[in-house]
Amino acid sequence: MPPFRTPSLRRAALALTLTLLASGSAVSATTAATATADPAAATASAGRAWFTSWAQSQQDLAPTPLRDQSVRMITHLGQGGGALRVRIQNTFGTTPLTVDAATVGHSGGQDAAVEGDVLAVTFDGRREVVVPAGGEVWSDAAALRTEAQDDVAVSLSVSGTVTPGRHTSAFRSNYLTAPGSGDHTAEASGSAYTQTVGSTYLVSAVDVHNPKLRGTIVAYGSSVVDGTGSTDCGPGCTPEGTDHRWTDDLARRVTAELPRTRQLAIANAGIGGTTSSADCPRNPAGIRGLDAVSRLDRDVLALHGVTGVLYYYGTNDLANGCDAELILRSYDEVFQRLRAAGIKVYVTPITPRPGYTDRNNLDRHAVGTHVKKGNTCDGTCDGVTDFDQVLKDPLKPNSIDPAYDTGDGIHANIAGQRALADYVSLSMLLSSTAHR
């Protein structure tokens, strides 16, 4: 009989593989809660096989506490693998967060039900984990095999009363059980998950174990990166399904157009309303600490297998009173830190926005001129993705093309999201993996 044909032998081989992954590859709950990962070291220690395949950056606290209940968050993977692990964050929490059970399973993406097996997730071999206020944990490897563009349900049972951190706009539905209902993480049925939220609670990243991947590209910016507009297909139109952000479209392009041996994961680290610079004079209090410099460690450098960043910031900087000098100063600081970590940086010039003053547009032009100088930001970045050329109205270059406009003059609709994704050079992104 050929090897590994019997279920018992197959299970034994899988168990051995996961033991090796958990002991030698996964970032443990203990260390992840206290340390910021160096991407090169993390990738090397993981056998160059762990890659962040989905992310949504934490930005604030949910308006209502969790009280002895379960959450089920639906994550959409850019790439799949033979196993996965998840990151849970309590970055903005003021009290410890106790997770007494966690599971993962395939989701159809339409409701809270899990399709197929529900697999338990552990942390340093234990079911329960306590995430300190301000901290984070990565789980051990879970043996859920996934493919590119799969939806995965991550379920957590939270004990006690705690206000969870969240990413405000999930652009899809996520699910909660009733307060006091306890642990429903092992249930494939979604019937206990009676509450729907439009945010993503607690779960901020999913890694896949896939030695064939070449790297992870992180899109980093504000609302146009986050996905505002990606649910808008025009008057009287209802979008089919979810995941219409330009980063989702880009991930599908990667899967369809690149050879199987040169695949990349795409992760989204956008947060709406944020700025590149912390020093814009009209920055509201609600985005304090969420500027590109301040959140770089946790939202980019702590992810795994990152080889490149698509940097798309500046519209809010100008609206909040930053001039070209302040914007470029923050660009330079971020770019230096990324490149020092071996991560290539691809930058888009600032895109149009209604309401800009003449001074704003002069500053926008100055930033764009700097970014396009040599197509390397005058030697400080590695390439340019000129979304300004994609979105601008050819008749009114300080406005968005009406075909791509959600109506606010700032954000791209579904057609505009697709146009942005189609514009990105895949060969440029692959150049970030040349050292791998």
Side-chain angles (χ1 to χ4, degrees):
M1 178 179 293
F4 305 112
R5 289 291 297 275
T6 67
S8 59
L9 286 174
R10 190 179 300 118
R11 285 194 296 269
L14 183 57
L16 175 60
T17 299
L18 288 176
T19 299
L20 293 172
L21 289 175
S23 63
S25 299
V27 176
S28 72
T30 303
T31 58
T34 58
T36 298
D38 173 78
T43 302
S45 67
R48 305 176 72 85
W50 284 107
F51 297 88
T52 300
S53 188
W54 172 90
Q56 282 195 334
S57 303
Q58 295 275 288
Q59 63 189 98
D60 61 13
L61 293 173
T64 304
L66 298 173
R67 296 184 174 90
D68 293 309
Q69 63 195 111
S70 298
V71 306
R72 183 161 283 174
M73 303 291 113
I74 311 301
T75 64
H76 183 74
L77 303 183
Q79 293 286 353
L84 58 75
R85 61 189 183 189
V86 301
R87 179 171 71 168
I88 302 171
Q89 284 187 290
N90 194 22
T91 302
F92 299 97
T94 57
T95 60
L97 165 74
T98 300
V99 175
D100 51 29
T103 64
V104 292
H106 287 283
S107 166
Q110 303 302 313
D111 53 31
V114 172
E115 299 179 345
D117 294 336
V118 181
L119 302 184
V121 173
T122 60
F123 305 86
D124 280 344
R126 298 183 293 271
R127 291 189 65 210
E128 180 180 292
V129 66
V130 178
V131 189
E136 65 177 48
V137 299
W138 284 90
S139 76
D140 302 328
L144 187 70
R145 183 170 292 278
T146 55
E147 303 292 336
Q149 282 79 61
D150 274 358
D151 287 321
V152 171
V154 181
S155 305
L156 308 174
S157 173
V158 177
S159 63
T161 299
V162 63
T163 303
R166 66 172 179 170
H167 182 87
T168 303
S169 299
F171 301 108
R172 71 180 313 139
S173 293
N174 286 308
Y175 307 96
L176 314 177
T177 62
S181 61
D183 180 10
H184 291 271
T185 58
E187 299 172 9
S189 167
S191 60
Y193 292 85
T194 54
Q195 300 182 34
T196 301
V197 293
S199 301
T200 300
Y201 288 4
L202 301 176
V203 182
S204 63
V206 176
D207 283 0
V208 296
H209 188 267
N210 186 342
K212 294 182 180 179
L213 294 180
R214 299 292 298 276
T216 290
I217 304 296
V218 179
Y220 195 46
S222 52
S223 57
V224 184
V225 171
D226 192 12
T228 301
S230 65
T231 57
D232 184 345
C233 55
C237 171
T238 301
E240 293 185 8
T242 56
D243 310 308
H244 295 295
R245 300 174 301 172
W246 64 268
T247 51
D248 300 319
D249 288 330
L250 179 59
R252 287 187 280 270
R253 272 194 66 207
V254 166
T255 302
E257 298 177 27
L258 289 180
R260 291 176 61 86
T261 58
R262 306 188 75 192
Q263 291 285 303
L264 299 163
I266 306 294
N268 189 306
I271 296 180
T274 57
T275 57
S276 181
S277 173
D279 298 324
C280 302
R282 293 194 295 275
N283 275 353
I287 66 167
R288 186 171 296 123
L290 295 176
D291 59 277
V293 178
S294 297
R295 68 186 186 96
L296 185 66
D297 283 331
R298 67 175 178 266
D299 290 344
V300 180
L301 295 176
L303 303 181
H304 297 106
V306 178
T307 58
V309 166
L310 288 163
Y311 195 85
Y312 187 175
Y313 260 122
T315 56
N316 293 326
D317 295 72
L318 292 175
N320 293 349
C322 263
D323 60 15
E325 181 180 356
L326 281 173
I327 295 171
L328 291 175
R329 188 184 303 163
S330 67
Y331 279 21
D332 286 346
E333 183 173 351
V334 173
F335 301 170
Q336 286 175 19
R337 290 175 61 191
L338 289 171
R339 297 177 90 190
I343 297 170
K344 291 195 174 182
V345 187
Y346 309 109
V347 184
T348 185
I350 301 174
T351 49
R353 181 169 180 156
Y356 280 160
T357 64
D358 288 345
R359 179 70 257 171
N360 289 152
N361 278 317
L362 286 171
D363 285 321
R364 186 168 83 88
H365 178 74
V367 172
T369 299
H370 174 83
V371 167
K372 295 177 186 178
K373 189 172 182 180
N375 280 335
T376 63
C377 312
D378 197 19
T380 64
C381 71
D382 301 280
V384 176
T385 301
D386 198 347
F387 287 171
D388 183 38
Q389 292 299 312
V390 179
L391 293 181
K392 74 179 184 182
D393 185 339
L395 299 179
K396 300 176 180 178
N398 289 326
S399 302
I400 289 180
D401 189 323
Y404 297 152
D405 191 355
T406 60
D408 65 6
I410 304 170
H411 299 104
N413 59 21
I414 289 176
Q417 302 278 336
R418 189 176 303 115
L420 294 175
D422 287 345
Y423 186 82
V424 177
S425 166
L426 299 187
S427 60
M428 180 186 72
L429 300 186
L430 273 175
S431 70
S432 73
T433 71
H435 65 287
R436 290 185 59 84

